[in-house]
Amino acid sequence: MFRTRLLSGIVLVAIALFLIIMGGDILLAGLFAVSVVGLYELYRVFHIEKSLPGMVGYLAAAVYYLDLGVPFIPEREIFVLGFLILVMAVYVLKFSEYKADQAFAAFAGVFYVAVMLSCIYQTRMMEAGVYTVWLIFLCSWGSDTCAYCVGVLVGKHKMAPKLSPKKSIEGAVGGVVGTVLLTMMYGLVFQEEMGLTANYIFILAGISGVGAVISMIGDLAASAIKRNYDIKDYGKLIPGHGGVLDRFDSVIFTAPIVYFMAKFLL
């Protein structure tokens, strides 16, 4: 199991490196593909992955990503309201086939998966985004690794025993501190390329610290959904890791936090 998990993790990192370094339409297309798979996994929990509400959700994700690449929607509110009306129209016209929670899952899923993941692309397209975008993964995967190591070594107090029994408060603190230190090292290494002063390196570290906390919420939120619906993993696409949502649960929450904080602070 460890070997399988390690190998699939290496492949996953290699794909992420390729997509993010290339950026542009290649990254956008890659994130759209990941979003569709993630939506499928989420919709499967609510039994709408092959239904009409699910199809409306996939279509909405496609429209949203197309608008990111070639803007044609004048206001994002038009997209949100139009999508909501369409989902509710399907719910009303097919009332005997679907329940309210399925209709709202079809609507919310697009924002939970597709829209939030798209912030990776939007961060990459910022000035110096080729460097800033990696904060998303430092906050999520870096925090997770640091939290695991500290938790194994000194973890005693359970953080959320009903959702994730192995996570400890000590591990959570170690994850945040470790992420901040990793980000400061990252900022120092790429200080010249990013045009950073010492003050901005501390701002980067602060962004990562907040992102690390939010990443834990994303991780636990995904676990909460699985607990509610009594499933172990969202999928089996990534050997040893589960599905897209199992591997990107924290990234989904971290991406928009890093994007907006970097947008207004850097």
Side-chain angles (χ1 to χ4, degrees):
M1 175 60 75
F2 175 77
R3 182 180 179 183
T4 301
R5 185 180 177 87
L6 177 62
L7 290 175
S8 60
I10 291 172
V11 172
L12 188 64
V13 169
I15 294 174
L17 281 169
F18 171 76
L19 291 175
I20 293 173
I21 290 173
M22 294 301 294
D25 292 340
I26 293 177
L27 175 59
L28 189 64
L31 286 173
F32 172 64
V34 171
S35 295
V36 170
V37 174
L39 269 178
Y40 182 87
E41 293 175 352
L42 182 65
Y43 285 169
R44 187 164 52 190
V45 175
F46 297 92
H47 308 293
I48 57 171
E49 73 276 13
K50 297 180 180 179
S51 69
L52 188 54
M55 296 303 164
V56 172
Y58 302 138
L59 176 62
V63 170
Y64 180 80
Y65 272 81
L66 182 60
D67 182 64
L68 281 178
V70 186
F72 62 91
I73 301 176
E75 297 289 342
R76 286 284 162 82
E77 289 83 355
I78 295 175
F79 168 78
V80 176
L81 295 176
F83 177 33
L84 178 59
I85 291 170
L86 185 56
V87 169
M88 297 312 292
V90 170
Y91 172 56
V92 169
L93 294 173
K94 298 286 186 178
F95 180 73
S96 61
E97 297 181 30
Y98 306 110
K99 296 181 179 180
D101 62 335
Q102 293 175 310
F104 284 111
F107 177 74
V110 172
F111 297 93
Y112 174 53
V113 181
V115 173
M116 293 177 82
L117 275 177
S118 75
C119 290
I120 296 175
Y121 168 79
Q122 296 182 72
T123 304
R124 174 64 176 81
M125 298 306 290
M126 295 171 62
E127 184 179 356
V130 67
Y131 299 104
T132 308
V133 70
W134 295 108
L135 295 184
I136 294 171
F137 300 95
L138 277 173
C139 293
S140 50
W141 295 347
S143 171
D144 186 53
T145 301
C146 292
Y148 174 79
C149 293
V150 174
V152 168
L153 292 173
V154 298
K156 293 182 179 179
H157 301 87
K158 302 297 182 183
M159 183 171 68
K162 292 184 179 180
L163 293 178
S164 188
K166 294 183 179 179
K167 285 184 170 56
S168 66
I169 295 175
E170 293 84 356
V173 173
V176 174
V177 173
T179 301
V180 168
L181 294 176
L182 286 172
T183 302
M184 292 183 70
M185 293 171 58
Y186 179 77
L188 289 171
V189 171
F190 294 102
Q191 182 175 5
E192 185 175 342
E193 289 82 353
M194 296 178 71
L196 297 175
T197 62
N199 289 337
Y200 272 96
I201 292 177
F202 284 107
I203 292 175
L204 285 182
I207 291 173
S208 289
V210 173
V213 173
I214 299 299
S215 75
M216 296 176 196
I217 296 175
D219 186 13
L220 292 173
S223 296
I225 295 173
K226 289 190 286 187
R227 295 285 183 184
N228 280 158
Y229 290 89
D230 196 26
I231 58 175
K232 184 178 184 296
D233 294 315
Y234 283 103
K236 299 180 180 179
L237 180 65
I238 309 171
H241 293 270
V244 164
L245 292 184
D246 295 296
R247 183 64 277 181
F248 287 85
D249 50 7
S250 58
V251 174
I252 286 172
F253 273 63
T254 304
I257 293 299
V258 170
Y259 169 64
F260 284 108
M261 290 189 71
K263 183 177 181 180
F264 292 112
L265 294 178
L266 296 180

